[in-house]
Amino acid sequence: MAPPELTQWLFNPIYSQARHTEHRRLLVLSGDYEWVNQRLTSLLSDIPSSLIVKEIGGETSLLRKHLLGNECDIGVIHSHHGFNPGNMMAIAGTIRWGGCLILCCPALASWHLHASHTHLSHGFKATQSLYIKRLVAIIKSNSDVVVWDGNHCHIPDLLGSDVFDSLNNVNPIEPESSINPVVSKNAQAIQPLEDDAPRRPQFKSLDQQVAFDCLKNRWSQDVRKAVITAPRGRGKSALVGLFVASRLNKGEKVVITSAIRDNTSTLFKHIRLGMGLLNTEDKDQAGQSTDYTVNTPDSNNTETDAAKSATKEIFSIEKGGSAQWLAPDNPTLINGDFDLLIIDEAASFPLPVLKLLIGAHDNYVITTTLQGYEGSGQGFMQRMLPAFEAEGAVHLSLRTPLRWPKHDKLENLIHNICLFEGAETLNTVSDAPRQVLQEVSRQVPQEVRREVRREIPIERPIERPIEVLHKPSTDNCINDYRMGLVSALSEHQLQSVMQLLATAHYQTTPDDFMRLCDSPDIILFTEWNASRLTAAAVINCEGGEVLTDVQKGIADGSRRPKGHLGAQRLTLLTAHPETAAYRYWRINRIAVAPYLQGQGIGTGLIRFIKSQALSQDIDALTSSYGTSYKLNKFWQQCGFKLVDMGEKPNKASGETSALVVKAISERYRPQQEILSCLFAYSQKNESVLLSALPDIVRKTLMKKLQHFVNATRPLNQVGFAINALAAELSVSNKYISNAEKSTKMPTKMCKNETEAVTPQLLLLLGSSPLPTNQLIQLLNVSGRKALTDALRKKVRYLLSCVMT
């Protein structure tokens, strides 16, 4: 049974008559799995159905992407089988006033010793979790957190003095209840309002009212593009819903899209509110008449479930206006005739999809969350917002929280734990670098930081120990270069690093911080100017002795051990197991404060990384990035050689990936020359005969073809090799007669039907890229897998011809 005091602490704020002023809280159930589940069941067994409870991290709980746009009173995160910071941020963002987040976890004293390390690269081991140790220290230091374990239950002083009535006799305050009107200092609109300005009842904050009026004014001036950003729980969906309702009254056709249909439930709810249809069913039963109707697909419709979901909810009015939701991949979203496009949570969209949608519509409203688990809102701001503003789009920002009180204790606690875009005083990306630096408010206490920074033994198979290094630059000692582990950073430095990474990269998530803290193969390089972070680079240690047992399998494509992404790709390119034996530093991420970009700061940090790589006996530096003119020039200026290009654009960024390498040791230079030579020939437009290639290239391609025949290497990795092989056989009289070549008639080159090769087939095999659809038709097979199987048989025969 739960202690009565705990039950009172948990439920009193939820049923308070002033619930909209109650802070949300954290309850930690700490102990073994069975004990925690029993206590959780005891706590929640008797709560009424009027309370909403959502769970994440358990076997049957929600996926976090389905939590967007939802609300609950109690959120539960299960962590016995692995802790995920993104899950915690996701479910915490759904909890409303006075609610509680319940963290179910192992015993706090030993949790960091038993944390699962799903991100570990092959050959690396970690005996403890720095991230979990820091998390526990923050929890223990916070007097507002309740911790219930097998020994005791710590409960802070109860804030409410009301008598704890029977739960079944009290109804929670509805989330629509008004909150104190406060204007956010960061709200952007045409005319700012004073704190005592009147607020119309349909709006829950002056932020919303100002933004709504700004949207209406812009639309009346035929400037019909807007971007709305906000941290979670600030009322973006409500604002857009009310605005859509106003456009319906103008007779406009509105289309709404989002990654998941259910995430727009709040938006549609406020469309109803704006249209006077807060509860359509009740109004129909009461016989009330209205000009508005809600049309839904016929329940007897035989369309597929996917098609039904695309038109699941359609609003239409007699004035001609309509609003409907469509999936992002629905062709009607591009080809349909709409007056307004709404994109909800744009940071969760791949950039190519986002650009395609924007290009198809003249009028749009885009919303995105700044602090989120579905992608980096700050990255979205850096990558997309300038383009929107160049088109004349207005940028509106909501800051006043609506789902919880201002300066909510749980929100502050989550920000301290995750260090994910949590502070408004972002010293790494300030547009005004001359401003005086402000220390981040509500810092984790110093005693917590000292506790976390105690040495954590991590097994690192690195020949030389990685030591914390400070090296002032020679430019009047203004900048300070540093190399070391994340555990060496202060709390303020940690926050600066995470904010810079989140700003510079499109899809940074809270989980990245945990990987940064706990991955034993990661080194952090930073550059500081006084106390201001100007640049950072995350380095992964790859290759070497830890890959000895799998390097042969990596080379032929049969093994893909975890991590070592750069070392594995280079080994696949050369098809030589020895390539994996070299020691690499892969520059996973490098970021420069936006207002300092273009001043050579990133180049200076790369020079420092190269100097330290040489002292650490590293053979080569590698990096993979999305190609652009600016980045191609940057890596070229830093002395890196392009050795591989992706075949297709990245789904998230829309950019084609490039792999670059920089030899550090003399023993690696022959490898770099091989890689450069392979890449140069693979990029030639004309067909190159196998016999005309340099010896090292020809031998490498023959190895790759043998791997393909043995079914260890996929088809997309041997396209150039097949081209060269087909070109060789096409011009050789040893294999095809002149008569056969001139007539282009299908003539078998062997008696075995499965190995039959014709001039037409050789012509297709010599084309780059391989024309898969034509090959499928010619070989009379169904699908890519069947094509690959058929080509393996053809290539096996062609190789036998070349080697005879």
Side-chain angles (χ1 to χ4, degrees), residues 401-516:
L402 303 183
R403 200 173 291 164
W404 49 78
K406 196 173 183 180
H407 305 307
D408 177 69
K409 293 180 179 180
L410 180 62
E411 184 176 42
N412 291 337
L413 180 62
I414 296 297
H415 285 164
N416 280 340
I417 291 172
C418 294
L419 296 186
F420 188 72
E421 307 171 45
E424 296 177 4
T425 55
L426 184 61
N427 69 359
T428 60
V429 294
S430 171
D431 290 328
R434 291 170 295 185
Q435 292 178 351
V436 178
L437 290 177
Q438 300 179 11
E439 288 296 326
V440 180
S441 61
R442 298 174 186 84
Q443 290 285 339
V444 176
Q446 278 299 108
E447 59 270 19
V448 174
R449 191 63 203 151
R450 286 195 294 268
E451 170 67 20
V452 174
R453 290 181 62 184
R454 292 176 184 173
E455 183 179 358
I456 295 180
I458 298 178
E459 299 180 27
R460 289 178 184 273
I462 300 175
E463 288 81 352
R464 292 192 178 190
I466 301 300
E467 300 177 353
V468 177
L469 176 66
H470 297 257
K471 183 181 180 182
S473 71
T474 56
D475 302 330
N476 299 322
C477 296
I478 296 176
N479 293 338
D480 181 13
Y481 294 103
R482 305 179 189 180
M483 177 188 77
L485 306 179
V486 175
S487 57
L489 298 178
S490 69
E491 191 67 25
H492 179 66
Q493 291 168 343
L494 270 176
Q495 185 166 22
S496 297
V497 168
M498 287 309 301
Q499 288 172 350
L500 178 57
L501 293 178
T503 301
H505 294 271
Y506 181 56
Q507 286 194 323
T508 299
T509 69
D511 305 334
D512 292 333
F513 180 30
M514 188 170 186
R515 283 190 288 269
L516 188 62

Side-chain angles (χ1 to χ4, degrees), residues 747-767:
T747 305
K748 296 180 181 179
M749 293 181 59
C750 62
K751 297 179 180 180
N752 190 330
E753 181 68 26
T754 62
E755 295 176 348
V757 177
T758 66
Q760 185 178 2
L761 177 59
L762 287 178
L763 181 64
L764 293 179
L765 294 180
S767 303

Side-chain angles (χ1 to χ4, degrees), residues 321-396:
S322 66
Q324 67 178 112
W325 180 89
L326 293 178
D329 59 351
N330 191 312
T332 307
L333 195 59
I334 301 297
N335 304 321
D337 183 17
F338 300 104
D339 299 300
L340 174 61
L341 167 69
I342 306 293
I343 301 180
D344 190 49
E345 293 295 350
S348 63
F349 279 63
L351 284 180
V353 174
L354 195 58
K355 292 177 180 178
L356 180 64
L357 295 178
I358 294 302
H361 294 268
D362 294 327
N363 309 323
Y364 57 77
V365 174
I366 298 172
T367 74
T368 197
T369 301
L370 295 184
Q371 292 91 10
Y373 47 86
E374 69 286 336
S376 171
Q378 292 288 358
F380 170 85
M381 298 279 284
Q382 293 294 327
R383 298 288 292 277
M384 295 298 295
L385 188 59
F388 294 143
E389 291 181 335
E391 292 185 352
V394 61
H395 174 210
L396 304 175

Side-chain angles (χ1 to χ4, degrees), residues 637-655:
Q637 289 178 339
C638 291
F640 285 74
K641 300 295 183 182
L642 181 62
V643 295
D644 191 32
M645 286 283 291
E647 291 185 343
K648 298 179 179 180
N650 180 274
K651 291 182 179 180
S653 67
E655 299 167 339

